[in-house]
Amino acid sequence: LGLTASLVSLRRTFLLLEEKCSFGAYKKAIAELQGRLRDEMSGRKFFSLDTAESECYAAPLRGWEEVVNRFPNASGDIEEMSKCFALSRYAGAVFHSVNAIECGLLELGKFIGVQDPKSGWTAVSGRLEVLVTKTKYLDLPPAIQPHFPFLEQLHGTVASLKNAWRNKISHTQGKLTVMTADFNYEVAEEIILATRAFLRRLATELPV
């Protein structure tokens, strides 16, 4: 912990005990140690996590194994998302959850034929909207038709995610920006759970 002055006092106290000092000398040494501990510890900050928070921080990828196996590029953001959530940094957790989603969306974009050179959240969600709500089934590409129910359900999840962070996340010029820090525990948890459901579905059912 870098408590160097306290360490010196502690060693001196041990020496006094070895020398079989008087009770008065020992009491004085303990008082000095306590004072140094208080002074040095006043410059330290501690965060206390409850059981659930501690588990989330210590094992940030737990429950995301399928996602990480399919989309390894998302692992960094998933880890940071979990740690931010454990530390009550909810805006940071949401930011990293959106980044993780984009890793999956890029793979989805390849499957549904996104042509936008800046493929990402906007391009993929837009293409998904067109395929699911604006294209007749018989007009869909033959490779996509057998997977239409899957894409339809993904579209519903994307819509719920958009509603969860409406007016809070900006995605312009290929860059994600958190527009507000106004995320509480419930909102962040909702977004994270929706993120995991979405990415799990992609990981397990998106054709290779």
Side-chain angles (χ1 to χ4, degrees), residues 1-13 28-44:
L1 295 177
L3 307 178
T4 56
S6 298
L7 182 59
V8 171
S9 292
L10 185 61
R11 286 172 176 165
R12 183 179 296 118
T13 302
K28 182 179 179 181
I30 288 296
E32 177 186 297
L33 174 60
Q34 289 176 326
R36 287 191 170 184
L37 276 172
R38 280 193 296 268
D39 291 341
E40 290 194 298
M41 292 296 288
S42 66
R44 303 294 191 273

Side-chain angles (χ1 to χ4, degrees), residues 81-191:
M81 173 199 68
S82 298
K83 289 184 174 181
C84 284
F85 187 70
L87 296 173
S88 302
R89 310 304 294 171
Y90 301 126
V94 171
F95 173 78
H96 286 292
S97 74
V98 178
N99 278 339
I101 284 179
E102 283 215 314
C103 292
L105 285 176
L106 291 175
E107 295 301 313
L108 175 60
K110 296 175 184 177
F111 174 67
I112 62 179
V114 170
Q115 302 298 322
D116 192 328
K118 296 182 179 179
S119 180
W121 176 268
T122 301
V124 175
S125 61
R127 174 67 173 163
L128 196 61
E129 175 80 13
V130 169
L131 291 174
V132 172
T133 67
K134 300 178 181 179
T135 304
K136 294 181 180 179
Y137 181 82
L138 294 178
D139 294 331
L140 292 170
I144 287 180
Q145 288 181 2
H147 304 285
F148 180 77
F150 165 63
L151 296 178
E152 190 174 35
Q153 292 172 11
L154 283 184
H155 176 258
T157 304
V158 170
S160 68
L161 288 170
K162 281 187 173 181
N163 288 333
W165 58 58
R166 187 185 302 275
N167 300 325
K168 292 183 172 64
I169 298 290
S170 173
H171 188 260
T172 58
Q173 298 180 346
K175 183 179 180 181
L176 290 167
T177 305
V178 177
M179 300 173 64
T180 175
D182 186 26
F183 289 100
N184 57 26
Y185 175 92
E186 288 77 14
V187 172
E189 182 183 44
E190 175 186 348
I191 291 174

